[in-house]
Amino acid sequence: MEKEVPERESPFATEPIGRLILKFAVPSVIALLVNSLYNIVDQIFIGWGVGNAVALVTVVSIVLAVVFLLFIDPILTLFGATDLLRSLALEYGFIIGLGLPFMMISAAINSMIRADGSPKYAMFSMIIGAVLNVILDPVFIFVFHMGVQGAAIATVIGQVASFVVSAVYLPWFKTVHPDAASFRLNGRTCGNILTFGLSSFITQFAITCDEGQPDHDCHSAGHRHRYPAHHRFQLRCQELQAGEKNPGNFPHRL
């Protein structure tokens, strides 16, 4: 049970307003400034090697997709797939693996587009994929009765759409004009990209690991239960199957 702090002990009730502004506003401003450095770093990369960045993410994404598709079964075991879920996970994972390069490349180009001074275009490239996914999910799942395969296909189509919209922007960069030679990988440039991108990679990896950690749901007594990731996946598969039998009951956690 949460314990309330008495009002007299709260700094908002006792400290002068000027001191509170310095104490809370200044760190917030600094955090925003640090966050803006991400775009500055991206802009530097655009000037140094936008072609190398695109070529590098293309190579890495294809390699990861091939590795994932070749070793999908042990990877699913590593992530806790049970015998009950394995067939569904294989159906979904294989299709998602095929779309992995489109997702990675579009995400990389999207960051470059934003840093090039076109945040609205970057937003549009992401929105178009999300909208297509939302529209096609019920079509493939309930109209064509494709279950988890339909959900995966809708996701990949959205990723391909975002990739196409992002790729179209490449010849129209404002700050640089990449030519064929700029896409030839350079060891030093790739090293700089990997070095500066390491922090973002660690952040994204940590988020992924956190998603795989036990989930929390409340029961009637107000306490919280912890459910592993494979149990959440099983519940969602059951919801998909229920939705196929009764399309009126759209799964609430798709």
Side-chain angles (χ1 to χ4, degrees), residues 135-170:
I135 294 175
L136 295 178
D137 255 340
V139 174
F140 285 120
I141 295 172
F142 304 126
V143 177
F144 298 135
H145 304 286
M146 298 180 67
V148 294
Q149 283 186 334
I153 293 173
T155 299
V156 172
I157 291 177
Q159 293 171 347
V160 172
S162 293
F163 163 77
V164 171
V165 174
S166 299
V168 168
Y169 185 89
L170 287 177

Side-chain angles (χ1 to χ4, degrees), residues 176-207:
V176 293
H177 300 286
D179 53 16
S182 65
F183 290 91
R184 190 177 299 114
L185 292 177
N186 177 276
R188 183 176 181 180
T189 302
C190 291
N192 289 332
I193 292 173
L194 293 174
T195 300
F196 281 96
L198 182 62
S199 61
S200 179
F201 168 78
I202 293 175
T203 300
Q204 295 297 325
F205 184 76
I207 293 173

Side-chain angles (χ1 to χ4, degrees), residues 79-227:
F79 280 93
T82 63
D83 293 336
L84 178 63
L85 300 176
R86 188 170 300 276
S87 60
L88 293 173
L90 285 171
E91 292 178 6
Y92 186 86
F94 185 81
I95 298 174
I96 291 296
L98 294 176
L100 181 62
F102 297 102
M103 183 270 291
M104 291 184 62
I105 297 172
S106 64
I109 299 178
N110 188 269
S111 297
M112 301 173 193
I113 294 173
R114 190 181 301 108
D116 191 50
S118 301
K120 292 182 179 179
Y121 191 95
M123 177 186 68
F124 172 74
S125 69
M126 299 301 291
I127 289 178
I128 189 66
V131 170
L132 279 176
N133 190 16
V134 171
I135 294 175
L136 295 178
D137 255 340
V139 174
F140 285 120
I141 295 172
F142 304 126
V143 177
F144 298 135
H145 304 286
M146 298 180 67
V148 294
Q149 283 186 334
I153 293 173
T155 299
V156 172
I157 291 177
Q159 293 171 347
V160 172
S162 293
F163 163 77
V164 171
V165 174
S166 299
V168 168
Y169 185 89
L170 287 177
W172 305 100
F173 269 105
K174 303 173 184 177
T175 54
V176 293
H177 300 286
D179 53 16
S182 65
F183 290 91
R184 190 177 299 114
L185 292 177
N186 177 276
R188 183 176 181 180
T189 302
C190 291
N192 289 332
I193 292 173
L194 293 174
T195 300
F196 281 96
L198 182 62
S199 61
S200 179
F201 168 78
I202 293 175
T203 300
Q204 295 297 325
F205 184 76
I207 293 173
T208 302
C209 291
D210 182 68
E211 285 293 324
Q213 294 302 310
D215 197 9
H216 299 274
D217 281 325
C218 293
H219 62 60
S220 58
H223 302 291
R224 305 183 78 87
H225 284 308
R226 299 174 67 86
Y227 295 107

Side-chain angles (χ1 to χ4, degrees), residues 6-77:
E7 183 178 347
R8 62 179 180 275
E9 297 181 11
S10 172
F12 293 100
T14 58
E15 294 188 15
I17 295 179
R19 185 181 300 174
L20 288 174
I21 292 177
L22 292 176
K23 184 176 181 179
F24 288 94
V26 172
S28 299
V29 172
I30 294 176
L32 291 173
L33 291 175
V34 171
N35 185 60
S36 67
L37 290 177
Y38 283 105
N39 281 340
I40 296 176
V41 172
D42 287 340
Q43 188 70 53
I44 293 173
F45 283 135
I46 288 177
W48 285 356
V50 63
N52 268 235
V54 175
L56 186 61
V57 73
T58 300
V59 172
V60 171
S61 64
I62 292 175
V63 171
L64 289 178
V66 171
V67 171
F68 177 78
L69 293 174
L70 289 177
F71 300 98
I72 184 172
D73 197 63
I75 289 175
L76 291 177
T77 301

